Amino acid sequence: MSQQLNAEIQRYQESKARKEFEKAEAEAEKNKKMENAQSEETAQPQILEDLFGQMKDVRTFDVSGIELGMTPDEVIEEAKDRGYEITKVEHNIPLHLTTFYKERCNPRARAIEKQNCIIDQAKEDEVYYVSSITMVRPQTAEYMQVLFSSYATDNVAYKIYYENKGDNSLNYTRKNLAKKVRRRDVFWNLMYETYGQPDDKDNMIWGNPQEAYMQAMMQGSAYNAYIVLEDKSITDEDYVAVTEQAKELRYKHSFTFSEAWEDEE
């Protein structure tokens, strides 16, 4: 009976602590909004300057030493220096070239043989590029994935995704609540110290989301942390360059009425 009573008391205390935590969170958010409203009223010139001024150049930012524009080799070297383990390296071929090579392979070949045929041609033409590198740092529960453009734009990093998972095992005791709050505060303080104030405080975005930007967020009761750093101009340039390459390709066809026809069989 005593154990059951103690369990009931503990559940009651945790429930009460959780409600107090949620109330404190709501109150903090309310106070933050009031402070922002007051600062807007007293600092209009600064706000106008921010609105029409220069946005931060996130192309100068890095996440754990990884920067936009890095090559796969540079990313791997920097990641290993930072204690990350490379868990996956993925390759790709520009879509228009995949179709082109497929037509040049034996149509009666098995799927795996045809795939190998496509890859062999891509390697020979030096267009088989690293498209993604995934890495982890187990001791700090950190995970990163870096995406790369094709060789048409020098095979460089255009998007960096960072993730740091919180401890889901923490319940709502006062001690654990303090750990959660401390984790939240440490993350945001480090963000501000490292990158300065965001250009869009409502959505926690640095830079221009239409071109090059960084966005940070925390989600869930464990305060999982996420950072995305992306340069959309690289993918735009890559698309244009790949499209131009496609115009140079000559696909097989069955029309023989023109002198331009060549019997490739």
Side-chain angles (χ1 to χ4, degrees), residues 138-174:
Q139 61 269 39
T140 49
E142 292 175 292
Y143 164 98
M144 289 182 68
Q145 183 181 26
V146 184
L147 304 182
F148 299 87
S149 65
S150 73
Y151 281 122
T153 46
D154 301 324
N155 193 206
V156 295
Y158 71 85
K159 189 170 187 177
I160 300 166
Y161 175 81
Y162 169 91
E163 178 182 301
N164 185 306
K165 291 288 186 71
D167 189 349
N168 282 313
S169 69
L170 297 179
N171 55 23
Y172 281 88
T173 62
R174 293 181 183 275

mmCIF file of all heavy atoms in Angstrom, residues 138-174:
data_model
loop_
_atom_site.group_PDB
_atom_site.id
_atom_site.type_symbol
_atom_site.label_atom_id
_atom_site.label_comp_id
_atom_site.label_asym_id
_atom_site.label_seq_id
_atom_site.Cartn_x
_atom_site.Cartn_y
_atom_site.Cartn_z
ATOM 1 N N PRO A 138 27.884 10.365 -32.673
ATOM 2 C CA PRO A 138 27.085 9.666 -31.663
ATOM 3 C C PRO A 138 27.193 10.236 -30.254
ATOM 4 O O PRO A 138 26.204 10.282 -29.518
ATOM 5 C CB PRO A 138 27.633 8.228 -31.718
ATOM 6 C CG PRO A 138 28.234 8.104 -33.079
ATOM 7 C CD PRO A 138 28.796 9.457 -33.389
ATOM 8 N N GLN A 139 28.389 10.685 -29.874
ATOM 9 C CA GLN A 139 28.583 11.133 -28.498
ATOM 10 C C GLN A 139 27.792 12.392 -28.164
ATOM 11 O O GLN A 139 27.540 12.688 -26.986
ATOM 12 C CB GLN A 139 30.074 11.350 -28.190
ATOM 13 C CG GLN A 139 30.759 12.401 -29.051
ATOM 14 C CD GLN A 139 31.384 11.821 -30.293
ATOM 15 O OE1 GLN A 139 30.818 10.943 -30.923
ATOM 16 N NE2 GLN A 139 32.579 12.301 -30.628
ATOM 17 N N THR A 140 27.390 13.141 -29.197
ATOM 18 C CA THR A 140 26.599 14.351 -28.953
ATOM 19 C C THR A 140 25.238 14.288 -29.627
ATOM 20 O O THR A 140 24.521 15.289 -29.696
ATOM 21 C CB THR A 140 27.345 15.605 -29.466
ATOM 22 O OG1 THR A 140 27.804 15.374 -30.809
ATOM 23 C CG2 THR A 140 28.537 15.926 -28.575
ATOM 24 N N ALA A 141 24.860 13.109 -30.126
ATOM 25 C CA ALA A 141 23.555 12.896 -30.771
ATOM 26 C C ALA A 141 23.316 13.867 -31.923
ATOM 27 O O ALA A 141 22.199 14.319 -32.153
ATOM 28 C CB ALA A 141 22.429 13.002 -29.749
ATOM 29 N N GLU A 142 24.393 14.177 -32.671
ATOM 30 C CA GLU A 142 24.283 15.100 -33.795
ATOM 31 C C GLU A 142 24.273 14.332 -35.117
ATOM 32 O O GLU A 142 24.963 13.333 -35.278
ATOM 33 C CB GLU A 142 25.437 16.100 -33.781
ATOM 34 C CG GLU A 142 25.370 17.081 -32.621
ATOM 35 C CD GLU A 142 26.590 17.978 -32.554
ATOM 36 O OE1 GLU A 142 27.676 17.443 -32.259
ATOM 37 O OE2 GLU A 142 26.455 19.190 -32.798
ATOM 38 N N TYR A 143 23.485 14.860 -36.046
ATOM 39 C CA TYR A 143 23.324 14.247 -37.367
ATOM 40 C C TYR A 143 23.365 15.359 -38.409
ATOM 41 O O TYR A 143 22.784 16.426 -38.207
ATOM 42 C CB TYR A 143 21.977 13.511 -37.422
ATOM 43 C CG TYR A 143 21.484 13.154 -38.810
ATOM 44 C CD1 TYR A 143 21.675 11.876 -39.323
ATOM 45 C CD2 TYR A 143 20.799 14.079 -39.590
ATOM 46 C CE1 TYR A 143 21.199 11.540 -40.583
ATOM 47 C CE2 TYR A 143 20.330 13.756 -40.854
ATOM 48 C CZ TYR A 143 20.525 12.485 -41.338
ATOM 49 O OH TYR A 143 20.058 12.153 -42.589
ATOM 50 N N MET A 144 24.063 15.117 -39.519
ATOM 51 C CA MET A 144 24.113 16.109 -40.594
ATOM 52 C C MET A 144 23.992 15.420 -41.942
ATOM 53 O O MET A 144 24.491 14.295 -42.124
ATOM 54 C CB MET A 144 25.414 16.924 -40.557
ATOM 55 C CG MET A 144 25.507 17.901 -39.400
ATOM 56 S SD MET A 144 27.041 18.881 -39.448
ATOM 57 C CE MET A 144 26.740 19.869 -40.915
ATOM 58 N N GLN A 145 23.336 16.114 -42.873
ATOM 59 C CA GLN A 145 23.303 15.665 -44.261
ATOM 60 C C GLN A 145 23.604 16.869 -45.142
ATOM 61 O O GLN A 145 23.046 17.950 -44.947
ATOM 62 C CB GLN A 145 21.943 15.079 -44.647
ATOM 63 C CG GLN A 145 21.915 14.528 -46.075
ATOM 64 C CD GLN A 145 20.568 13.966 -46.467
ATOM 65 O OE1 GLN A 145 19.548 14.375 -45.924
ATOM 66 N NE2 GLN A 145 20.559 13.026 -47.396
ATOM 67 N N VAL A 146 24.506 16.666 -46.104
ATOM 68 C CA VAL A 146 24.895 17.735 -47.015
ATOM 69 C C VAL A 146 24.540 17.301 -48.438
ATOM 70 O O VAL A 146 24.890 16.196 -48.862
ATOM 71 C CB VAL A 146 26.406 18.033 -46.924
ATOM 72 C CG1 VAL A 146 26.767 19.221 -47.817
ATOM 73 C CG2 VAL A 146 26.812 18.310 -45.479
ATOM 74 N N LEU A 147 23.837 18.171 -49.168
ATOM 75 C CA LEU A 147 23.432 17.885 -50.545
ATOM 76 C C LEU A 147 24.297 18.696 -51.508
ATOM 77 O O LEU A 147 24.668 19.840 -51.211
ATOM 78 C CB LEU A 147 21.958 18.233 -50.754
ATOM 79 C CG LEU A 147 20.960 17.554 -49.812
ATOM 80 C CD1 LEU A 147 19.536 17.949 -50.176
ATOM 81 C CD2 LEU A 147 21.114 16.032 -49.841
ATOM 82 N N PHE A 148 24.595 18.096 -52.684
ATOM 83 C CA PHE A 148 25.509 18.706 -53.636
ATOM 84 C C PHE A 148 24.881 18.859 -55.016
ATOM 85 O O PHE A 148 24.049 18.053 -55.431
ATOM 86 C CB PHE A 148 26.789 17.856 -53.761
ATOM 87 C CG PHE A 148 27.557 17.712 -52.482
ATOM 88 C CD1 PHE A 148 27.250 16.709 -51.579
ATOM 89 C CD2 PHE A 148 28.597 18.587 -52.183
ATOM 90 C CE1 PHE A 148 27.949 16.567 -50.392
ATOM 91 C CE2 PHE A 148 29.304 18.455 -50.992
ATOM 92 C CZ PHE A 148 28.981 17.448 -50.099
ATOM 93 N N SER A 149 25.357 19.883 -55.732
ATOM 94 C CA SER A 149 24.942 20.078 -57.117
ATOM 95 C C SER A 149 25.731 19.121 -58.007
ATOM 96 O O SER A 149 26.647 18.442 -57.558
ATOM 97 C CB SER A 149 25.204 21.530 -57.540
ATOM 98 O OG SER A 149 26.608 21.792 -57.537
ATOM 99 N N SER A 150 25.400 19.087 -59.297
ATOM 100 C CA SER A 150 26.116 18.219 -60.240
ATOM 101 C C SER A 150 27.426 18.877 -60.668
ATOM 102 O O SER A 150 27.735 20.000 -60.269
ATOM 103 C CB SER A 150 25.239 17.968 -61.472
ATOM 104 O OG SER A 150 25.176 19.133 -62.269
ATOM 105 N N TYR A 151 28.167 18.176 -61.536
ATOM 106 C CA TYR A 151 29.431 18.734 -62.034
ATOM 107 C C TYR A 151 29.205 19.932 -62.951
ATOM 108 O O TYR A 151 30.143 20.681 -63.241
ATOM 109 C CB TYR A 151 30.231 17.666 -62.777
ATOM 110 C CG TYR A 151 30.966 16.718 -61.856
ATOM 111 C CD1 TYR A 151 30.745 15.345 -61.907
ATOM 112 C CD2 TYR A 151 31.884 17.202 -60.932
ATOM 113 C CE1 TYR A 151 31.417 14.477 -61.056
ATOM 114 C CE2 TYR A 151 32.561 16.351 -60.074
ATOM 115 C CZ TYR A 151 32.319 14.995 -60.145
ATOM 116 O OH TYR A 151 32.981 14.145 -59.295
ATOM 117 N N ALA A 152 27.960 20.117 -63.399
ATOM 118 C CA ALA A 152 27.654 21.279 -64.245
ATOM 119 C C ALA A 152 27.905 22.577 -63.492
ATOM 120 O O ALA A 152 28.165 23.617 -64.092
ATOM 121 C CB ALA A 152 26.202 21.215 -64.717
ATOM 122 N N THR A 153 27.817 22.506 -62.164
ATOM 123 C CA THR A 153 28.132 23.664 -61.319
ATOM 124 C C THR A 153 29.160 23.273 -60.251
ATOM 125 O O THR A 153 29.054 23.649 -59.083
ATOM 126 C CB THR A 153 26.861 24.231 -60.651
ATOM 127 O OG1 THR A 153 26.088 23.154 -60.103
ATOM 128 C CG2 THR A 153 26.008 24.989 -61.646
ATOM 129 N N ASP A 154 30.120 22.455 -60.658
ATOM 130 C CA ASP A 154 31.312 22.135 -59.855
ATOM 131 C C ASP A 154 31.069 21.217 -58.664
ATOM 132 O O ASP A 154 31.934 21.094 -57.792
ATOM 133 C CB ASP A 154 32.000 23.417 -59.381
ATOM 134 C CG ASP A 154 32.418 24.304 -60.538
ATOM 135 O OD1 ASP A 154 32.828 23.750 -61.580
ATOM 136 O OD2 ASP A 154 32.330 25.539 -60.408
ATOM 137 N N ASN A 155 29.890 20.591 -58.598
ATOM 138 C CA ASN A 155 29.626 19.601 -57.545
ATOM 139 C C ASN A 155 29.915 20.145 -56.148
ATOM 140 O O ASN A 155 30.747 19.638 -55.398
ATOM 141 C CB ASN A 155 30.470 18.351 -57.800
ATOM 142 C CG ASN A 155 30.060 17.149 -56.957
ATOM 143 O OD1 ASN A 155 30.871 16.278 -56.680
ATOM 144 N ND2 ASN A 155 28.817 17.089 -56.525
ATOM 145 N N VAL A 156 29.207 21.219 -55.784
ATOM 146 C CA VAL A 156 29.424 21.874 -54.489
ATOM 147 C C VAL A 156 28.183 21.771 -53.604
ATOM 148 O O VAL A 156 27.066 21.549 -54.080
ATOM 149 C CB VAL A 156 29.805 23.360 -54.679
ATOM 150 C CG1 VAL A 156 31.138 23.478 -55.393
ATOM 151 C CG2 VAL A 156 28.713 24.118 -55.431
ATOM 152 N N ALA A 157 28.386 21.969 -52.313
ATOM 153 C CA ALA A 157 27.293 21.871 -51.336
ATOM 154 C C ALA A 157 26.322 23.032 -51.508
ATOM 155 O O ALA A 157 26.719 24.189 -51.523
ATOM 156 C CB ALA A 157 27.863 21.880 -49.919
ATOM 157 N N TYR A 158 25.033 22.700 -51.639
ATOM 158 C CA TYR A 158 24.017 23.745 -51.738
ATOM 159 C C TYR A 158 23.017 23.711 -50.579
ATOM 160 O O TYR A 158 22.272 24.664 -50.356
ATOM 161 C CB TYR A 158 23.255 23.669 -53.063
ATOM 162 C CG TYR A 158 22.310 22.490 -53.198
ATOM 163 C CD1 TYR A 158 21.002 22.544 -52.707
ATOM 164 C CD2 TYR A 158 22.699 21.316 -53.834
ATOM 165 C CE1 TYR A 158 20.134 21.466 -52.842
ATOM 166 C CE2 TYR A 158 21.839 20.241 -53.978
ATOM 167 C CZ TYR A 158 20.551 20.328 -53.485
ATOM 168 O OH TYR A 158 19.694 19.258 -53.606
ATOM 169 N N LYS A 159 23.026 22.619 -49.802
ATOM 170 C CA LYS A 159 22.103 22.539 -48.658
ATOM 171 C C LYS A 159 22.729 21.717 -47.539
ATOM 172 O O LYS A 159 23.271 20.634 -47.771
ATOM 173 C CB LYS A 159 20.769 21.915 -49.069
ATOM 174 C CG LYS A 159 19.682 21.994 -48.000
ATOM 175 C CD LYS A 159 18.340 21.569 -48.562
ATOM 176 C CE LYS A 159 17.212 21.802 -47.577
ATOM 177 N NZ LYS A 159 15.887 21.453 -48.148
ATOM 178 N N ILE A 160 22.652 22.266 -46.329
ATOM 179 C CA ILE A 160 23.191 21.598 -45.141
ATOM 180 C C ILE A 160 22.056 21.444 -44.143
ATOM 181 O O ILE A 160 21.391 22.428 -43.778
ATOM 182 C CB ILE A 160 24.331 22.418 -44.514
ATOM 183 C CG1 ILE A 160 25.469 22.609 -45.529
ATOM 184 C CG2 ILE A 160 24.852 21.741 -43.243
ATOM 185 C CD1 ILE A 160 26.475 23.680 -45.129
ATOM 186 N N TYR A 161 21.832 20.218 -43.713
ATOM 187 C CA TYR A 161 20.770 19.926 -42.748
ATOM 188 C C TYR A 161 21.409 19.398 -41.466
ATOM 189 O O TYR A 161 22.164 18.427 -41.503
ATOM 190 C CB TYR A 161 19.804 18.887 -43.322
ATOM 191 C CG TYR A 161 18.732 18.420 -42.360
ATOM 192 C CD1 TYR A 161 17.585 19.170 -42.148
ATOM 193 C CD2 TYR A 161 18.881 17.225 -41.662
ATOM 194 C CE1 TYR A 161 16.604 18.742 -41.264
ATOM 195 C CE2 TYR A 161 17.910 16.786 -40.777
ATOM 196 C CZ TYR A 161 16.772 17.545 -40.584
ATOM 197 O OH TYR A 161 15.809 17.122 -39.709
ATOM 198 N N TYR A 162 21.119 20.048 -40.348
ATOM 199 C CA TYR A 162 21.701 19.675 -39.047
ATOM 200 C C TYR A 162 20.581 19.312 -38.078
ATOM 201 O O TYR A 162 19.545 19.980 -38.031
ATOM 202 C CB TYR A 162 22.509 20.841 -38.486
ATOM 203 C CG TYR A 162 22.954 20.682 -37.041
ATOM 204 C CD1 TYR A 162 24.182 20.112 -36.727
ATOM 205 C CD2 TYR A 162 22.137 21.110 -35.992
ATOM 206 C CE1 TYR A 162 24.590 19.966 -35.410
ATOM 207 C CE2 TYR A 162 22.539 20.966 -34.677
ATOM 208 C CZ TYR A 162 23.763 20.400 -34.390
ATOM 209 O OH TYR A 162 24.144 20.251 -33.069
ATOM 210 N N GLU A 163 20.819 18.263 -37.298
ATOM 211 C CA GLU A 163 19.807 17.809 -36.334
ATOM 212 C C GLU A 163 20.490 17.369 -35.043
ATOM 213 O O GLU A 163 21.522 16.698 -35.076
ATOM 214 C CB GLU A 163 19.028 16.647 -36.949
ATOM 215 C CG GLU A 163 17.983 16.027 -36.069
ATOM 216 C CD GLU A 163 17.304 14.851 -36.766
ATOM 217 O OE1 GLU A 163 16.716 15.051 -37.845
ATOM 218 O OE2 GLU A 163 17.387 13.726 -36.226
ATOM 219 N N ASN A 164 19.926 17.782 -33.919
ATOM 220 C CA ASN A 164 20.431 17.360 -32.609
ATOM 221 C C ASN A 164 19.228 16.996 -31.757
ATOM 222 O O ASN A 164 18.450 17.869 -31.362
ATOM 223 C CB ASN A 164 21.244 18.485 -31.954
ATOM 224 C CG ASN A 164 21.884 18.045 -30.645
ATOM 225 O OD1 ASN A 164 21.209 17.553 -29.746
ATOM 226 N ND2 ASN A 164 23.179 18.253 -30.523
ATOM 227 N N LYS A 165 19.067 15.701 -31.489
ATOM 228 C CA LYS A 165 17.897 15.214 -30.762
ATOM 229 C C LYS A 165 18.081 15.401 -29.257
ATOM 230 O O LYS A 165 19.147 15.145 -28.709
ATOM 231 C CB LYS A 165 17.653 13.733 -31.061
ATOM 232 C CG LYS A 165 17.197 13.470 -32.496
ATOM 233 C CD LYS A 165 15.771 13.938 -32.690
ATOM 234 C CE LYS A 165 15.257 13.556 -34.080
ATOM 235 N NZ LYS A 165 15.032 12.108 -34.223
ATOM 236 N N GLY A 166 16.989 15.829 -28.589
ATOM 237 C CA GLY A 166 16.995 15.936 -27.142
ATOM 238 C C GLY A 166 16.738 14.583 -26.499
ATOM 239 O O GLY A 166 16.567 13.568 -27.182
ATOM 240 N N ASP A 167 16.686 14.572 -25.192
ATOM 241 C CA ASP A 167 16.493 13.330 -24.439
ATOM 242 C C ASP A 167 15.004 13.099 -24.208
ATOM 243 O O ASP A 167 14.378 13.756 -23.375
ATOM 244 C CB ASP A 167 17.232 13.425 -23.092
ATOM 245 C CG ASP A 167 17.249 12.098 -22.350
ATOM 246 O OD1 ASP A 167 16.530 11.173 -22.769
ATOM 247 O OD2 ASP A 167 17.981 11.996 -21.343
ATOM 248 N N ASN A 168 14.422 12.157 -24.953
ATOM 249 C CA ASN A 168 12.988 11.866 -24.826
ATOM 250 C C ASN A 168 12.648 11.124 -23.532
ATOM 251 O O ASN A 168 11.473 11.002 -23.188
ATOM 252 C CB ASN A 168 12.516 11.018 -26.016
ATOM 253 C CG ASN A 168 12.321 11.861 -27.258
ATOM 254 O OD1 ASN A 168 11.713 12.923 -27.205
ATOM 255 N ND2 ASN A 168 12.851 11.397 -28.376
ATOM 256 N N SER A 169 13.655 10.625 -22.839
ATOM 257 C CA SER A 169 13.389 9.864 -21.611
ATOM 258 C C SER A 169 13.105 10.769 -20.419
ATOM 259 O O SER A 169 12.640 10.305 -19.379
ATOM 260 C CB SER A 169 14.576 8.951 -21.288
ATOM 261 O OG SER A 169 15.710 9.723 -20.897
ATOM 262 N N LEU A 170 13.381 12.066 -20.563
ATOM 263 C CA LEU A 170 13.171 12.984 -19.441
ATOM 264 C C LEU A 170 11.672 13.217 -19.208
ATOM 265 O O LEU A 170 10.946 13.604 -20.122
ATOM 266 C CB LEU A 170 13.867 14.327 -19.711
ATOM 267 C CG LEU A 170 15.394 14.294 -19.840
ATOM 268 C CD1 LEU A 170 15.920 15.697 -20.118
ATOM 269 C CD2 LEU A 170 16.031 13.740 -18.578
ATOM 270 N N ASN A 171 11.239 12.987 -17.967
ATOM 271 C CA ASN A 171 9.841 13.246 -17.639
ATOM 272 C C ASN A 171 9.691 14.673 -17.116
ATOM 273 O O ASN A 171 10.556 15.516 -17.314
ATOM 274 C CB ASN A 171 9.320 12.220 -16.629
ATOM 275 C CG ASN A 171 10.178 12.172 -15.372
ATOM 276 O OD1 ASN A 171 10.869 13.134 -15.051
ATOM 277 N ND2 ASN A 171 10.148 11.050 -14.667
ATOM 278 N N TYR A 172 8.582 14.952 -16.414
ATOM 279 C CA TYR A 172 8.307 16.323 -16.000
ATOM 280 C C TYR A 172 8.570 16.562 -14.507
ATOM 281 O O TYR A 172 7.845 17.292 -13.855
ATOM 282 C CB TYR A 172 6.868 16.686 -16.366
ATOM 283 C CG TYR A 172 6.722 17.024 -17.825
ATOM 284 C CD1 TYR A 172 6.458 16.020 -18.756
ATOM 285 C CD2 TYR A 172 6.882 18.321 -18.277
ATOM 286 C CE1 TYR A 172 6.342 16.331 -20.106
ATOM 287 C CE2 TYR A 172 6.769 18.634 -19.623
ATOM 288 C CZ TYR A 172 6.496 17.639 -20.528
ATOM 289 O OH TYR A 172 6.382 17.939 -21.868
ATOM 290 N N THR A 173 9.607 15.932 -13.976
ATOM 291 C CA THR A 173 10.025 16.290 -12.628
ATOM 292 C C THR A 173 10.692 17.666 -12.700
ATOM 293 O O THR A 173 11.112 18.107 -13.777
ATOM 294 C CB THR A 173 11.029 15.272 -12.061
ATOM 295 O OG1 THR A 173 12.206 15.278 -12.885
ATOM 296 C CG2 THR A 173 10.436 13.869 -12.051
ATOM 297 N N ARG A 174 10.791 18.344 -11.576
ATOM 298 C CA ARG A 174 11.382 19.681 -11.572
ATOM 299 C C ARG A 174 12.825 19.657 -12.088
ATOM 300 O O ARG A 174 13.260 20.546 -12.819
ATOM 301 C CB ARG A 174 11.339 20.277 -10.163
ATOM 302 C CG ARG A 174 9.934 20.580 -9.669
ATOM 303 C CD ARG A 174 9.945 21.199 -8.290
ATOM 304 N NE ARG A 174 8.599 21.422 -7.802
ATOM 305 C CZ ARG A 174 7.865 22.503 -8.088
ATOM 306 N NH1 ARG A 174 8.378 23.439 -8.869
ATOM 307 N NH2 ARG A 174 6.642 22.640 -7.620
#
